[in-house]
Amino acid sequence: MIVDLTLELSEETTVYPGDPRVEIRKWTAIEKDGYYTNALFLGEHSGTHVDAPAHFIPGGKTIDEIPLERFIGKGVVLDVSSLNENIKPQDITKSAEVVLFYTGGREVYLSEEGAKYLVELGVKVVGIDAPTIGDSSTHKVLLSNEVVIFENLTNLQKLIGKEFTFFGVPLKIKNGSGSPVRAFAIIKEEE
Ligand SMILES: [Zn+2]
């Protein structure tokens, strides 16, 4: 079974403070031009997206330089929706190549210590259903270790307690700091 982990991208999409608003402009119409297309104006970090190391690390890899294998892996969802404080190492009770945090809209983020712990565990992808994984120190710990970060994921509650493979493939934006993605998970069916 496939679970879509992606937010809809539209002019109503909420963007991180300071980021450009998403604009989707009608470019051609069937009645007038014979075919229908839109032109997009959007930041690299709009909607469900991935952060590349270059987002915070000078000289870090840009999105086009990261191999595709990096965006696919066996995943686990940690339910942090009842935490009252940011996510610490002791809250990370399970691990996999891809570790995703379900906050359910609660404003809890990954602490710097939590990020260091994930790096020690050898995690290669971290994700959250919030506009940001944490503050700049958390970003720097993860990105300087080439752990890519998925933000604004959705539907993570559907993956709690399941075995799944995560996919979150970016556009190949030359020198990009990140990219919107279509993220999804394939759940292993129970026999
Ligand atoms: Zn981002």
Side-chain angles (χ1 to χ4, degrees), residues 23-187:
E23 289 177 33
I24 303 178
R25 285 184 215 155
K26 294 247 178 309
W27 192 252
T28 65
I30 293 179
E31 308 77 59
K32 191 161 150 275
D33 311 286
Y35 57 96
Y36 169 52
T37 59
N38 295 310
L40 309 180
F41 176 78
L42 73 174
E44 291 166 326
H45 301 260
S46 304
T48 305
H49 69 275
V50 60
D51 291 357
H55 188 38
F56 273 92
I57 309 300
K61 284 210 173 87
T62 52
I63 200 69
D64 52 316
E65 294 177 319
I66 303 170
L68 274 175
E69 300 87 76
R70 201 79 196 158
F71 305 108
I72 299 167
K74 295 271 176 238
V76 70
V77 168
L78 292 168
D79 183 356
V80 294
S81 62
S82 56
L83 290 186
N84 292 313
E85 297 177 32
N86 285 347
I87 306 156
K88 299 202 174 49
Q90 60 265 33
D91 302 315
I92 301 165
T93 50
K94 279 184 282 183
S95 175
E97 290 172 305
V98 179
V99 173
L100 307 175
F101 295 103
Y102 169 68
T103 70
R106 197 166 183 116
E107 290 187 20
V108 289
Y109 305 100
L110 181 63
S111 66
E112 188 181 358
E113 300 70 43
K116 285 182 181 157
Y117 183 59
L118 290 169
V119 168
E120 280 169 35
L121 291 172
V123 168
K124 65 175 190 174
V125 172
V126 172
I128 195 163
D129 57 348
T132 181
I133 188 71
D135 62 12
S136 71
S137 333
T138 297
H139 273 86
K140 283 175 189 166
V141 168
L142 296 170
L143 296 174
S144 62
N145 287 284
E146 297 205 353
V147 175
V148 293
I149 306 168
F150 286 83
E151 292 165 333
N152 283 328
L153 292 166
T154 190
N155 288 332
L156 295 182
Q157 73 282 3
K158 296 184 179 168
L159 301 175
I160 296 170
K162 305 271 199 239
E163 268 185 60
F164 64 91
T165 303
F166 172 85
F167 299 79
V169 180
L171 299 175
K172 204 169 182 174
I173 302 167
K174 189 172 164 70
N175 298 328
S177 71
S179 169
V181 296
R182 186 69 183 253
F184 62 95
I186 300 183
I187 299 182

